[in-house]
C-alpha cells in the first residue's frame, strides 16, 4: 500500500494523483497509458488523472500524492494507506462513440453518460466530445432525456408551498440584476422564490457575485431552505446547492469552447429548475445585436424548446422577450450593480429607470401565478410592493437571514472617465465590449472594479462629455482597461436627431 | 519578473506552468479563468496551462514553475527571468466553432487550425472538439485540405532518387511485421524506401517497438536520411522525424476517444507520406471480423479516399486488401515478433509461412514500381532476394547503420501455456483479445512480454494441447494475463472437419 500525501496544487475540478517515477510498488509508466486511475481506499474508489513525479520532495517512492481537491474529496488523512489500479474506461463511452458517429441516443444511454460525468469518470476531452457531438445534432427527445438525467444526479429540493416561482435570464446583458429586485418583491407578496444564481465565468458579474456585496451567498442546501421558509425568498449561489452537478461539469468545458447550443442551454436551465422544485418559471430572453439571442426567430425557437420541456416535466413555463440592445442599469461590476439595485429598492430619485421598469415587468408576470391575484394586476401589485418599501424590507430580511456582508466594499479608487469623441446621439452600446472592459478592470474578482455608465442609447452627448467611468483597484488592470477603451469606446454616436 | 523553476512533474505532451497563490507579482486567480497563459522570455512565448500552488517548497512567491517538458522546451536555466500574460485564445477557434455548428471549412481555415494545433495552442478539449466535429461530417475536399495542412507544418524530406517507395498497413492485426521484411527486400533490390513507423499506443507492439529489439530506432531526420542514402532503406520511429507534428497531437486525443474515422485516417497517413517525399505508396488493408476494417465495402470506400488524395497531391497509391482474420506470424510482442522476422529473413525452415508469404506479396507489388523490372515479375524478384540471403544482408546493413542494439532482449521468463479446452479445428482467433492479452503481459514496455501462438486458423487441436504461450516479465502482469486467458482464450474451436 502507498501512503497518502496531500499535494498543495490546485487542479480546479479535476482529481489529479501524483506517483513517483521510482515508486517501489507500481510501475508508473504502466499507468501512463490509462487516462485515469482508480485510487482505492477503504473499499471506495476515487478516479483521478495520473502525473508522474521525479522529485522525492514532492512525492516519495512509497507515497501517492493527491491534488488539493482530490485530497479533500477522499476525506482521509496524510499517511493513510491507499492502493491504485488502472481505471476501466466508463462503459457509457460506447454510447458517446455512437453519438460521435451520428446515432441518436435513448434516455437510458443519456442517463448513463450523465451519471458517469457527474461521478467525474469523464476526462475533459471526453466531455468535449459529448458536447460537440450533441451540438452537431440533438433531437428534442434527447434534450428532454438530458434534462431529466441532469436533474436526477442533483439534489432534489422540496417545499411546503404549492407554488414555487422562479426566473431565469438567458444572459449576456451587463448590469441586468433584475433578480435582486424581483425576488424581494415576490417575497414581500408571499409568493416564495428560491433563486439560485451563478457566479460570473466570462462576464464581469453574476447575480451571486453582486449579491455577495450585500450578503453571504455560499449557503448550503439546508441553509437555503431555511432562508426561503423564513423570508419567502433567497438569492444564493447555486454552487453549494448542487442542483445539477453534471451541468456544472459540462459548463466548465462549454465555456472555454464557447459551445452554446439551444438544446444544451435549455437542458441546463430546466434541469436546475426541476431539481429546485419550481412550479412556475419565467424565462427572460433579451434580444439585441450584441446579446446572446440576436433575433426574434431565434428567440421563438428557444421559447418552443423551453415550453416543450416544461410541459413534459410538469413545470409551467412562461417566456418573455425583452430588449437587449444595451446594458441595463448604470453599474457594471458587483459593487456598482449592487448600488443600482439598492437605489431601485430604496426608491431613490436617481435609481436607473430601465432596471426598475424591467424588474417590475418580470415581477408582475411572476405575480400572476398567484391564484388569489386578479388576472392582469401583477404589474400594479409589483409596483405597489416596491413603492411602499415592502420589497426593500423583504430584501433586508433576506440579507440578514443569509448573513449580512461584514466587509464594506466600495467602488475601485482608480478611476478614469472615457469621453465622447464627438457630439451626437448615442445609437448603440456594445454589450460584449463593455463586459470585456469591466472584466479587464478586475470584475468580478475585485468587487469594486467595473464600469459606471453615464449615458445610454438615445442620450445626446457633447464632444468631451464623459460616457462612462472606469473603476479599478490595481494599477495594471487600470492601465489595460484604459488602453482597451482607447481602442474603441464601445459606444456608437450618430448625428444629432 | 519571476524566476524560472523546473518542477519535476511529467505532464506528457502538455506544457504546465505553476504559480504560487501568494505570488508577489501576479494574482493567480486572474489567470485561472484563462485556460492558457503565455510564458514570455527573451522575446519569445511559450503557451502553457496554469496550476496554482499552495506550497512554497514547490513554487515560491517569486517563482514560475514549469513542468519537465515545458522546461525542456523553453530551453532556459533555473532562476532565469520570465514574465506571464493571459494567452489570447487562438483565432482559429472561430473556424472550429463554425465546424462544430455544421459549417464546411475551406483550406485556409483548416490550415490555420492545424498550424495552431501544431504550435500547442489548442487544449485537449479543443482538439477533441475539432476531431469530433470532423468525425460528424467531413467533405473529401476538407480531408484533402487537412492532409496538405498537416504535411505543411511537418518536416519535408527530399531524396536524390526519382522513385521513393513506401508502404503502410491500416493495422489492427497483431504480429503483422511485414515492413521489417519488405524494407530489406526493396533495399536489396535498390529501390529506396524510407520507412517510418509508430510505437504501439493501444497495441502490443508497433514496428518501431519491434525493430528496437534489433537496432536503434529514434533517429533524427538527418541520421535517417543518411541511413537511407547508404543502405537504400531504413526502419525508424517516426517520432523524431517530425513529419506530421499536428497528426501526432491529434492522435494523442483520437486514441483515448477511439475516434477512428476514414477521413482522419487517410489525412493522417497521407500527410506523413507527403512529408516523407514518397512517390509510390502501397496501402495494405487487412479485412477481418476483428480487424479495423471489417468488410470489402468499407475497404473499397477507404481505397477511393486514398486514391483521391493520392491523385491530388501527386503520390502514386496502390491499395491492396489482405486477409485479416487472425494474427500474422506466431509471436505477438517485440521480442517474439523480431524472432519471427529474422527467421523469415534467414530462411529458417520453421519461419512462419504466412508472414513470409504476405511480405513477399507486398514487396512484389512495390517492386513493380521499378521501371527496369518486367511487369508482373515483382513477386519472383522479391522471393529471389529473400531466398538468396540478399534481403538478410540488407537488413544487417540497415541494423548496423541505425545502430545495432547492444542490449540482448529475450522473451519473458514467466510462461504459461494456454490449453485447448476441447478437441476440434480452430475456426477463428480474436485479434482484439490476443492484442489485449499481450499488452496485459507487459508488451510493448517489456520487450520480451507477449503471446507466442502455436496454433492458427485451420489447425486441428486435441483437448489439452497448448494453443499459445504467455510470456511475462513481472508477476503481477503474469497473474492478470493468465486470469484474462482463463476467462476466454480468444480461440474458437469447431468440430473436426
Amino acid at each position: 500500500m502507498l501512503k497518502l500525501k496531500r499535494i498543495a496544487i490546485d487542479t480546479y475540478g479535476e482529481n489529479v494523483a501524483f506517483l513517483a517515477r521510482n515508486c517501489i510498488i507500481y510501475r508508473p509508466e504502466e499507468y501512463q497509458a490509462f487516462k485515469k486511475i482508480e485510487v482505492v481506499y477503504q473499499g471506495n474508489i476515487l478516479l483521478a488523472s495520473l502525473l508522474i513525479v521525479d522529485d522525492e520532495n514532492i512525492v516519495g517512492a512509497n507515497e501517492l500524492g493527491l491534488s488539493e481537491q482530490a485530497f479533500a474529496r477522499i476525506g482521509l488523512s496524510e499517511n493513510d494507506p491507499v492502493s491504485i489500479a488502472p481505471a476501466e474506461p466508463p462503459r457509457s463511452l460506447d454510447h458517446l462513440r455512437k453519438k460521435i458517429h451520428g446515432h441518436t441516443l435513448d434516455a437510458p444511454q443519456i442517463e448513463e453518460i450523465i451519471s458517469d460525468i457527474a461521478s467525474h469518470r469523464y476526462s475533459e476531452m471526453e466531455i468535449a466530445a459529448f458536447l460537440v457531438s450533441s451540438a452537431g445534432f440533438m433531437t428534442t427527445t434527447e434534450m428532454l432525456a438530458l434534462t431529466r438525467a441532469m436533474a436526477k444526479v442533483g439534489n432534489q429540493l422540496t417545499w411546503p408551498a404549492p407554488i414555487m416561482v422562479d426566473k431565469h435570464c438567458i444572459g449576456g446583458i451587463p448590469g441586468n440584476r433584475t433578480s435582486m429586485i424581483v425576488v424581494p418583491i415576490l417575497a414581500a407578496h408571499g409568493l416564495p422564490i428560491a433563486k439560485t444564481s451563478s457566479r460570473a465565468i466570462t462576464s464581469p458579474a453574476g447575480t451571486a457575485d453582486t449579491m455577495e456585496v450585500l450578503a453571504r451567498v455560499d449557503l448550503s442546501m439546508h441553509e437555503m431552505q431555511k432562508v426561503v421558509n423564513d423570508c419567502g425568498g433567497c438569492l444564493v449561489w447555486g454552487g453549494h446547492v448542487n442542483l445539477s452537478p453534471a451541468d456544472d461539469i459540462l459548463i466548465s468545458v462549454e465555456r472555454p469552447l464557447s459551445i452554446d447550443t439551444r438544446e444544451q442551454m435549455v437542458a441546463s436551465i430546466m434541469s436546475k429548475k426541476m431539481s429546485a422544485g419550481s412550479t412556475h418559471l419565467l424565462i427572460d430572453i433579451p434580444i439585441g445585436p450584441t446579446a446572446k439571442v440576436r433575433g426574434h426567430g431565434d428567440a421563438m425557437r428557444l421559447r418552443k424548446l423551453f415550453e416543450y420541456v416544461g410541459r413534459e416535466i410538469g413545470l409551467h413555463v412562461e417566456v418573455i422577450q425583452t430588449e437587449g440592445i444595451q446594458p441595463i442599469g448604470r453599474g457594471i461590476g458587483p459593487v456598482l450593480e449592487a448600488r443600482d439595485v439598492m437605489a431601485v429598492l430604496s426608491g431613490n430619485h436617481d435609481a436607473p429607470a430601465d432596471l426598475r421598469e424591467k424588474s417590475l415587468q418580470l415581477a408582475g408576470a411572476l405575480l400572476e401565478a398567484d391564484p388569489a391575484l386578479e388576472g392582469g394586476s401583477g404589474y400594479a401589485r409589483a409596483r405597489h410592493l416596491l413603492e411602499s418599501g415592502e420589497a426593500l424590507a423583504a430584501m433586508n430580511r433576506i440579507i440578514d437571514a443569509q448573513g449580512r456582508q461584514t466587509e464594506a466594499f466600495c467602488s475601485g479608487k482608480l478611476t478614469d472617465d472615457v469621453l465622447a469623441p464627438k457630439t451626437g446621439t448615442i445609437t448603440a452600446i456594445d454589450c460584449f465590449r463593455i463586459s470585456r472592459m469591466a472584466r479587464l478592470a478586475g470584475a468580478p474578482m475585485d468587487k469594486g472594479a467595473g464600469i459606471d455608465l453615464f449615458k445610454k442609447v438615445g442620450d445626446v452627448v457633447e464632444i468631451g462629455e464623459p460616457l462612462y467611468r472606469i473603476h479599478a483597484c490595481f494599477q495594471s488592470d487600470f492601465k489595460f482597461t484604459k488602453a482597451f477603451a482607447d481602442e474603441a469606446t464601445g459606444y456608437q454616436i450618430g448625428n444629432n436627431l
Side-chain angles (χ1 to χ4, degrees), chain A:
Chain A
M1 300 282 268
L2 295 167
K3 290 178 175 184
L4 187 63
K5 183 178 181 187
R6 175 175 179 275
I7 308 293
I9 296 180
D10 179 349
T11 52
Y12 319 114
E14 202 175 353
N15 295 332
V16 178
F18 301 84
L19 198 62
R21 197 181 299 277
N22 62 351
C23 178
I24 52 172
I25 301 177
Y26 301 95
R27 288 189 299 156
E29 293 84 359
E30 283 201 2
Y31 291 83
Q32 220 164 3
F34 299 93
K35 278 279 157 184
K36 296 249 175 185
I37 61 161
E38 293 178 351
V39 181
V40 185
Y41 63 104
Q42 301 173 350
N44 294 316
I45 283 171
L46 180 91
L47 286 163
S49 316
L50 181 69
L51 292 181
I52 295 175
V53 179
D54 294 290
D55 178 349
E56 62 182 16
N57 294 314
I58 300 177
V59 183
N62 62 344
E63 290 176 327
L64 178 79
L66 281 183
S67 61
E68 290 173 351
Q69 292 85 344
F71 186 83
R73 262 185 211 129
I74 206 168
L76 301 179
S77 306
E78 287 210 314
N79 294 319
D80 279 354
V82 293
S83 61
I84 62 171
E88 284 293 314
R91 280 179 38 195
S92 69
L93 285 183
D94 286 343
H95 312 323
L96 170 58
R97 278 189 279 272
K98 281 197 183 126
K99 185 76 197 155
I100 291 172
H101 291 103
H103 293 247
T104 300
L105 302 184
D106 61 22
Q109 290 171 326
I110 289 177
E111 208 172 285
E112 263 189 76
I113 290 176
I114 291 302
S115 158
D116 281 333
I117 288 175
S119 322
H120 299 275
R121 299 188 80 92
Y122 271 43
S123 66
E124 281 193 337
M125 67 170 95
E126 286 158 352
I127 294 168
F130 174 67
L131 289 168
V132 171
S133 55
S134 302
F137 178 70
M138 178 176 258
T139 67
T140 48
T141 315
E142 285 181 310
M143 175 186 65
L144 177 62
L146 182 61
T147 306
R148 287 197 165 119
M150 290 204 292
K152 194 172 171 183
V153 295
N155 286 332
Q156 175 64 50
L157 298 182
T158 53
W159 303 98
I163 295 179
M164 289 296 294
V165 297
D166 210 340
K167 75 171 276 291
H168 187 90
C169 177
I170 295 310
I173 306 297
N176 189 20
R177 286 290 91 79
T178 54
S179 291
M180 290 174 67
I181 299 165
V182 170
V183 166
I185 291 176
L186 287 156
H189 178 79
L191 209 51
I193 178 165
K195 183 81 185 94
T196 60
S197 304
S198 54
R199 290 188 187 276
I201 301 182
T202 55
S203 74
T207 295
D209 299 304
T210 299
M211 183 65 187
E212 199 171 35
V213 173
L214 308 172
R216 209 187 123 218
V217 295
D218 55 343
L219 277 66
S220 70
M221 195 176 80
H222 295 294
E223 289 175 318
M224 166 182 159
Q225 283 178 303
K226 187 170 176 350
V227 171
V228 174
N229 289 332
D230 291 353
C231 309
C234 72
L235 282 153
V236 306
W237 176 46
H240 274 188
V241 187
N242 215 29
L243 295 176
S244 189
D247 189 49
D248 297 343
I249 295 169
L250 291 179
I251 284 176
S252 71
V253 174
E254 260 167 48
R255 292 293 162 96
L257 286 177
S258 303
I259 304 177
D260 213 3
T261 63
R262 278 178 197 84
E263 287 79 8
Q264 270 154 14
M265 186 198 291
V266 170
S268 160
I269 293 165
M270 295 302 271
S271 68
K272 283 181 177 156
K273 301 311 181 188
M274 197 174 164
S275 295
S278 311
T279 61
H280 290 68
L281 172 63
L282 180 67
I283 307 265
D284 167 19
I285 306 184
I287 301 174
T290 54
K292 264 196 196 170
V293 177
R294 311 226 157 159
H296 289 276
D298 276 0
M300 194 191 66
R301 284 185 52 196
L302 198 49
R303 192 194 80 204
K304 302 230 168 197
L305 294 182
F306 277 114
E307 288 170 347
Y308 163 71
V309 173
R311 193 172 57 240
E312 293 293 325
I313 66 174
L315 169 56
H316 182 273
V317 174
E318 189 182 342
V319 178
I320 62 170
Q321 299 181 7
T322 57
E323 197 185 73
I325 60 159
Q326 61 174 337
I328 304 284
R330 279 200 282 274
I332 319 293
V335 164
L336 298 168
E337 292 173 11
R339 176 204 64 194
D340 285 355
V341 162
M342 293 313 288
V344 170
L345 285 171
S346 307
N348 289 0
H349 180 66
D350 60 349
D354 57 347
L355 177 63
R356 180 179 188 275
E357 183 51 35
K358 183 170 176 185
S359 303
L360 285 175
Q361 273 181 23
L362 296 175
L366 278 170
L367 283 170
E368 301 284 344
D370 180 2
L373 209 66
E374 195 187 346
S377 66
Y379 181 87
R381 174 69 182 149
R383 199 174 55 197
H384 167 76
L385 291 165
L386 184 64
E387 289 177 351
S388 66
E390 291 172 71
L392 176 62
M395 183 64 157
N396 277 314
R397 280 194 299 276
I398 291 169
I399 289 173
D400 285 327
Q402 291 188 191
R404 193 173 286 271
Q405 179 59 258
T406 50
E407 196 174 338
F409 294 106
C410 55
S411 55
K413 294 293 173 241
L414 301 169
T415 62
D416 187 53
D417 285 2
V418 174
L419 310 179
K422 59 181 276 198
T423 296
T425 305
I426 291 160
T427 53
I429 302 178
D430 183 338
C431 288
F432 189 72
R433 192 163 183 90
I434 295 293
S435 284
R436 181 113 191 264
M437 205 178 290
R439 265 192 89 90
L440 278 175
M445 209 187 324
D446 302 326
K447 294 273 187 210
I451 306 293
D452 206 9
L453 308 179
F454 303 138
K455 300 289 176 189
K456 302 290 283 278
V457 170
D459 288 350
V460 175
V461 288
E462 300 274 321
I463 184 168
E465 207 183 342
L467 295 172
Y468 52 84
R469 182 170 294 161
I470 296 167
H471 287 267
C473 305
F474 289 87
Q475 270 299 345
S476 60
D477 298 336
F478 187 52
K479 224 173 55 189
F480 281 136
T481 314
K482 282 202 292 185
F484 187 75
D486 276 351
E487 271 176 39
T489 61
Y491 275 58
Q492 271 181 36
I493 302 174
N495 293 327
N496 263 333
L497 298 178

